[in-house]
Amino acid sequence: MLNFLNFSIKFLIIFLLVVVFFVFSTLWYFSIGLPDYKKLSNYQPPISSRVYSQDNKLIAEYALEKRLFIPYDSLPDKVINSFLSAEDKNFFSHPGIDARGILRAIINNLKNIAQNKRLEGASTITQQVAKNFLLTNEVSMKRKIKEAILAFRIERAYSKERILELYLNQIYLGQGTYGIAAASLEYFDKSIKDLNYSEAALLAALPKAPSKYNPYRYPETAKFRRNLVLQNLADNNFISKKDYKKFKESKLKLKKRKIEIVNEANSYTEEVRRTVKNIYGFEKLYSQGLSISTPLNIEYQIQALKSLRKGIEDYDKRRGWRGPITNKIKNKNWENKLAQFKLDPTLNWKFAEITSTNNNKITFKIINNKKKKNLEGVLLLKDINWTIRQKKSIPETHKVGDILFVKKERSFWKIKQYPKVNGGIVAIDPFNGNVLALVGGFNFKTSEFNRVTQAKRQPGSAFKPIVYAAALENGFAPNSIILDAPFVESQGIGLKNWKPENYGKKFYGPSTFRKGIEYSRNLMTVRIAKVLGLNKILTLSKELNIYDEIPELLSVSLGAAETTLMNLTSAYAPFVNGGNKINPKLISRIQDRRGNTIFQDKDIKCIGCDKFINNDDLLPKIESKSKKVISEETAYQMNSILQGTVKRGTAKKLRSLKVPLAGKTGTTNDNYDAWFIGFSSNLIVGVYIGYDNPKTLGKNETGSKAALPIFKDFVENALFKDDFSDFEIPENIYLTSLNYDTGVKSAIGEKSSIIEALKLKDINNINKNTLVSTNDSDKIIKFRQFY
């Protein structure tokens, strides 16, 4: 008996040693190559970056996962209690693995196997953190052992609060949402602090199987699972039996989150996205929760899009009707044809099939109608006249079965045609460079190409103010006399001579400097450039960032080199702000996820703001960091001349607005591109119209006809009378009455007299005449020279 006892003790000791050896060997084996759990200390869950307008409205969101981060201290007890009851009620007492939970799961699973039911797990929240952050979703004993080892290590390294914070911000809860904050918004459109126990229990019910318990798709299954969580809450004494019954009987009250993002701002926000991505990289933009503030004015942006579309559609109508999209009767693949069109929802265009026609109207029905209703409508003759060719009737032009675009405007249906031409519009604050509105094309969904920032085209006459500003800086005056006559320039041996022409191919003889801009005279501009010297013009255009590299050709003075609408529009700012260069800004500030400012664009500095000064004579001063590119006097003279373009010249269509405006039209050779850059005392607006694959816009389609009306429509609808004020006149500018045609003194009110803005030296030399050679022996420029 004694021998048997000794043998049993020895056997037990050996068995225990083997077990211990086996356990340690297993732990050692599975510990090899385990992920480093220490990286959880610096873990920051990926959260979305957001873009805001100047009035802090959300205009764009960039994310790989829908997630908002909530620190533990901000987690409500209702949410914590619900998740603990659903997932791990012993979380705050176990060391990472719940032995009681494992034992319970084993017993229950024996019953489940016998009853052919689904097996249940016993993973703790810590184990789920180990799996979600450090391991894969592989279903195997090997992964479970690794999960357990990591759970022990995580518990030793981190507090329970940190582990729960990681879990609740990382867990997937369906509908593309990660973390409880995003899920709360997605299912209830509420902040988590506003959830009741019924709602918190539904969220806690989702981690087991987010798709299976999706309350939008399977409300009854979701409700059943929610009630199980409520039962656990009651069993754990987090809620009373009375509350349990009340919540159990309550219906699922879901409210899907609606993010009102301004679709009209797609061009603007895409430019912001590209800029931030280029500076900080893809990963930081899409996962680091940046808060990006922009100077976007939503009202300006919406109106800019409307005005651009109206102008493009008006131009397209002038080019005539090109026919229907297709004919449903003749084309069996008509649905494929319609599928090729990707329309921006802000267009509100519908596909319509013609059901009948007569000489007075078209009757149609909407197709692809999401509301599944048979919506019918009528197009009246007055609204489709532009589609009817001469001597033809409605039935001859439009056939039954034709599919076309229609849109309801002010209770009447209008026929629409998708334009082939495109364009852009931008509005900029001339004092700080803030881009207040930017539209890069007719339909962002079809083409994300930005015709404000990416399209490089010849600006034509819209570049001339830069030539004239350089001339005013170097001795010319608004009343200098320039010869408007044929001009010939040799281009080298074997090459044809260059012979520029005015629009209309007319010559006007000696004319004032001012007229050269107001009536956009090419020959006067070329002569000014010849006398002035190209170097001065090129230097100023580079300082204003209009061009990067410019050929030293006289044709550059007529806008023959390529630039963008953004660069040219911002180059007009010195004419408004007193001669200072601006840099257009789409981003005001960028903050990281914790609210730290990582970028802020400032063109001003405060002298003395870092010191406390209790002395009125030593108050801090604000100084602009903007570079002075032309004098204040030259800036106003150009401003005055460009106001003259509106009063008398190529932009006189704006006179009917009866507000202080200035600007310049631009048209390139053969009417390939149309431009208008206009401004008030506090806003610059640039407009461009042209084909993406360059071709002529057509006869008479100039900047005045194709681009200027877009500017006018924007100003009429986006601005109020109070937004306008007179342009500020510098102290060293002298206003005097001069004859508009001759540039000599005249009495105020005399025929052809205007009020001219002159510098002091211009006043002192107002009656001097000088002849200056152009280095072309038979061509002479006559002007008043002031030195």
Side-chain angles (χ1 to χ4, degrees):
M1 187 69 181
L2 187 60
N3 289 336
F4 177 76
L5 186 60
N6 290 334
F7 172 79
S8 298
I9 292 171
K10 287 179 182 180
F11 177 79
L12 185 60
I13 291 171
I14 293 170
F15 177 76
L16 289 173
L17 288 173
V18 170
V19 170
V20 170
F21 175 78
F22 176 77
V23 170
F24 275 98
S25 297
T26 302
L27 292 174
W28 175 80
Y29 173 77
F30 285 106
S31 294
I32 296 173
L34 276 180
D36 184 7
Y37 64 90
K38 292 179 181 177
K39 69 181 184 181
L40 294 178
S41 357
N42 300 319
Y43 175 75
Q44 293 182 326
I47 56 176
S48 57
S49 292
R50 294 177 154 200
V51 185
Y52 298 93
S53 65
Q54 66 173 210
D55 56 352
N56 292 318
K57 288 186 178 176
L58 180 67
I59 55 174
E61 198 169 25
Y62 302 111
L64 299 174
E65 302 171 349
K66 284 194 238 176
R67 188 197 311 275
L68 296 170
F69 180 78
I70 302 292
Y72 180 82
D73 292 341
S74 299
L75 293 172
D77 289 341
K78 291 175 185 176
V79 170
I80 293 173
N81 295 340
S82 296
F83 274 86
L84 293 183
S85 296
E87 296 292 316
D88 188 359
K89 68 177 183 179
N90 299 318
F91 173 73
F92 282 101
S93 59
H94 64 62
I97 293 177
D98 187 359
R100 284 177 292 176
I102 293 173
L103 183 61
R104 183 179 64 251
I106 290 172
I107 295 170
N108 290 340
N109 283 335
L110 289 173
K111 295 178 183 177
N112 291 337
I113 290 170
Q115 298 172 10
N116 200 25
K117 291 184 178 179
R118 185 178 180 273
L119 302 182
E120 66 179 63
S123 291
T124 63
I125 283 176
T126 314
Q127 285 176 276
Q128 292 184 58
V129 167
K131 181 188 74 172
N132 292 338
F133 286 89
L134 305 171
L135 298 172
T136 66
N137 287 323
E138 174 194 1
V139 179
S140 69
M141 183 59 69
K142 182 179 179 180
R143 196 216 75 199
K144 292 297 289 183
I145 293 171
K146 287 184 175 182
E147 187 182 284
I149 296 169
L150 284 170
F152 279 122
R153 292 181 177 180
I154 290 169
E155 288 276 351
R156 289 202 307 271
Y158 304 106
S159 68
K160 290 285 187 179
E161 290 76 13
R162 172 61 175 165
I163 295 168
L164 194 56
E165 178 187 88
L166 290 169
Y167 172 75
L168 291 176
N169 280 287
Q170 180 70 14
I171 191 95
Y172 179 64
L173 294 168
Q175 292 289 111
T177 61
Y178 291 81
I180 51 166
S184 178
L185 291 170
E186 183 66 25
Y187 293 112
F188 307 112
D189 196 21
K190 285 184 179 181
S191 166
I192 57 168
K193 65 182 176 61
D194 298 323
L195 297 177
N196 59 38
Y197 262 117
S198 176
E199 293 161 339
L202 178 60
L203 294 185
L206 295 173
K208 287 287 184 189
S211 298
K212 179 180 177 181
Y213 298 122
N214 186 318
Y216 289 120
R217 294 181 183 176
Y218 313 109
E220 290 305 315
T221 309
K223 184 178 179 181
F224 173 78
R225 174 65 186 165
R226 179 206 67 177
N227 289 346
L228 289 179
V229 177
L230 288 170
Q231 175 70 62
N232 291 345
L233 281 164
D235 292 344
N236 296 328
N237 296 318
F238 289 127
I239 59 174
S240 66
K241 295 295 181 184
K242 182 180 177 182
D243 285 338
Y244 163 65
K245 288 181 181 179
K246 180 181 73 173
F247 290 135
K248 183 182 177 182
E249 291 169 4
S250 66
K251 294 180 179 180
L252 297 183
K253 294 180 181 179
L254 304 175
K255 184 181 179 184
K256 197 169 182 67
R257 182 189 183 197
K258 288 185 180 179
I259 304 176
E260 294 184 3
I261 290 178
V262 183
N263 286 314
E264 289 88 347
N266 284 337
S267 290
Y268 195 109
T269 54
E270 174 58 17
E271 194 64 26
V272 170
R273 188 197 69 82
R274 275 199 294 262
T275 302
V276 176
K277 178 176 169 286
N278 290 339
I279 297 172
Y280 297 104
F282 180 89
E283 192 273 336
K284 195 158 192 172
L285 172 61
Y286 280 86
S287 64
Q288 293 302 307
L290 300 179
S291 177
I292 304 163
S293 300
T294 74
L296 174 76
N297 181 306
I298 291 178
E299 279 98 18
Y300 283 10
Q301 180 68 24
I302 292 172
Q303 186 54 52
L305 181 59
K306 287 180 181 178
S307 298
L308 179 67
R309 283 177 174 167
K310 181 179 184 299
I312 288 175
E313 287 181 39
D314 288 346
Y315 165 82
D316 197 55
K317 284 182 181 179
R318 294 196 294 271
R319 307 310 297 165
W321 176 247
R322 293 188 295 276
I325 300 168
T326 187
N327 186 284
K328 191 175 179 181
I329 299 169
K330 296 177 181 178
N331 184 3
K332 292 181 180 179
N333 296 318
W334 61 273
E335 288 180 300
N336 293 337
K337 184 72 175 177
L338 302 194
Q340 294 174 9
F341 289 92
K342 296 178 181 178
L343 299 181
D344 193 307
T346 57
L347 275 169
N348 291 319
W349 288 10
K350 310 290 184 185
F351 289 111
E353 177 192 350
I354 295 178
T355 54
S356 68
T357 64
N358 59 38
N359 289 328
N360 298 310
K361 66 181 181 180
I362 290 173
T363 304
F364 64 85
K365 65 177 181 181
I366 300 297
I367 55 179
N368 290 352
N369 186 20
K370 292 181 179 179
K371 294 182 179 178
K372 305 296 181 184
K373 293 181 181 178
N374 292 323
L375 183 59
E376 296 184 342
V378 172
L379 292 165
L380 301 176
L381 178 62
K382 65 183 180 67
D383 295 320
I384 55 175
N385 250 334
W386 67 273
T387 69
I388 312 298
R389 292 174 183 165
Q390 286 185 339
K391 299 181 181 179
K392 287 206 171 187
S393 64
I394 292 178
E396 288 176 303
T397 306
H398 299 284
K399 308 294 182 184
V400 172
D402 280 355
I403 297 176
L404 36 77
F405 288 118
V406 295
K407 180 182 180 181
K408 203 164 194 178
E409 296 176 354
R410 296 177 182 175
S411 301
F412 292 97
W413 287 99
K414 302 292 177 70
I415 193 168
K416 295 292 180 180
Q417 176 172 254
Y418 198 88
K420 291 185 175 180
V421 77
N422 225 308
I425 180 171
V426 62
I428 304 176
D429 185 313
F431 294 93
N432 56 28
N434 284 341
V435 178
L436 304 176
L438 181 154
V439 181
F442 183 83
N443 180 18
F444 182 82
K445 239 185 167 183
T446 296
S447 171
E448 294 184 11
F449 182 67
N450 196 317
R451 291 154 194 87
V452 174
T453 61
Q454 293 176 305
K456 286 196 169 186
R457 291 298 182 84
Q458 294 179 354
S461 298
F463 177 73
K464 287 176 184 174
I466 310 305
V467 177
Y468 283 70
L472 290 172
E473 282 286 272
N474 289 277
F476 284 76
N479 65 328
S480 297
I481 301 299
I482 315 296
L483 184 62
D484 188 341
F487 182 92
V488 180
E489 175 81 357
S490 173
Q491 298 192 91
I493 299 172
L495 298 174
K496 287 184 178 181
N497 289 336
W498 182 52
K499 299 177 181 179
E501 297 175 327
N502 287 329
Y503 185 79
K505 300 183 179 181
K506 293 181 180 180
F507 312 107
Y508 299 91
S511 304
T512 55
F513 180 96
R514 171 183 280 274
K515 277 190 175 182
I517 280 281
E518 290 186 2
Y519 293 99
S520 201
R521 304 271 175 79
N522 289 340
L523 296 171
M524 292 175 66
T525 304
V526 169
R527 281 192 161 82
I528 291 171
K530 184 73 174 178
V531 173
L532 182 63
L534 270 176
N535 188 53
K536 291 184 175 67
I537 297 168
L538 301 186
T539 298
L540 180 58
S541 62
K542 281 185 178 180
E543 286 181 336
L544 291 168
N545 290 341
I546 299 174
Y547 301 122
D548 298 322
E549 296 296 328
I550 324 168
E552 293 190 18
L553 300 172
L554 209 51
S555 59
V556 169
S557 64
L558 300 180
E562 294 182 337
T563 187
T564 65
L565 179 61
M566 179 75 90
N567 288 350
L568 189 63
T569 304
S570 58
Y572 275 57
F575 305 148
V576 189
N577 66 28
N580 297 316
K581 171 188 174 180
I582 63 163
N583 294 308
K585 293 191 284 287
L586 291 138
I587 301 170
S588 307
R589 183 174 64 176
I590 301 176
Q591 293 174 294
D592 64 17
R593 66 170 70 205
R594 302 197 180 277
N596 301 314
T597 298
I598 59 175
F599 170 84
Q600 188 156 20
D601 198 303
K602 287 185 177 180
D603 281 336
I604 59 172
K605 60 181 178 180
C606 182
I607 310 300
C609 286
D610 56 336
K611 301 173 184 175
F612 180 81
I613 301 172
N614 193 19
N615 186 327
D616 290 343
D617 296 328
L618 296 173
L619 290 174
K621 295 181 180 178
I622 301 296
E623 286 189 4
S624 172
K625 294 192 287 185
S626 300
K627 181 181 179 182
K628 180 76 76 174
V629 287
I630 56 176
S631 70
E632 196 176 21
E633 293 74 29
T634 292
Y636 183 76
Q637 285 182 319
M638 281 307 307
N639 186 315
S640 173
I641 291 170
L642 291 171
Q643 287 183 65
T645 305
V646 173
K647 292 173 184 175
R648 295 172 289 272
T650 58
K652 61 186 177 184
K653 289 178 182 177
L654 297 175
R655 283 187 304 188
S656 61
L657 296 179
K658 297 179 181 179
V659 292
L661 289 171
K664 181 72 186 77
T665 54
T667 312
T668 56
N669 286 344
D670 300 319
N671 296 352
Y672 268 52
D673 303 289
W675 303 68
F676 185 75
I677 316 294
F679 55 87
S680 66
S681 60
N682 53 26
L683 186 69
I684 312 173
V685 179
V687 178
Y688 160 79
I689 296 293
Y691 288 96
D692 288 342
N693 295 315
K695 67 175 185 178
T696 181
L697 291 168
K699 188 179 179 181
N700 300 324
E701 293 294 346
T702 61
S704 177
K705 188 172 184 179
L708 182 146
I710 296 171
F711 171 89
K712 184 178 182 181
D713 188 76
F714 175 80
V715 167
E716 276 186 302
N717 292 287
L719 306 180
F720 298 92
K721 286 282 185 183
D722 293 343
D723 294 323
F724 296 92
S725 59
D726 291 328
F727 295 99
E728 190 173 341
I729 304 173
E731 289 184 10
N732 294 323
I733 279 291
Y734 300 87
L735 302 178
T736 186
S737 179
L738 298 180
N739 184 281
Y740 180 60
D741 299 312
T742 64
V744 299
K745 285 182 178 179
S746 68
I748 294 176
E750 189 177 296
K751 186 180 179 180
S752 297
S753 69
I754 61 167
I755 301 300
E756 189 57 271
L758 300 176
K759 300 174 185 175
L760 181 60
K761 59 184 169 72
D762 302 340
I763 293 289
N764 293 337
N765 295 280
I766 198 166
N767 292 314
K768 294 183 180 179
N769 291 301
T770 308
L771 291 178
V772 179
S773 172
T774 64
N775 297 324
D776 185 355
S777 57
D778 60 333
K779 304 294 176 214
I780 292 179
I781 297 179
K782 182 182 180 186
F783 70 110
R784 286 176 175 75
Q785 180 174 305
F786 308 114
Y787 296 103

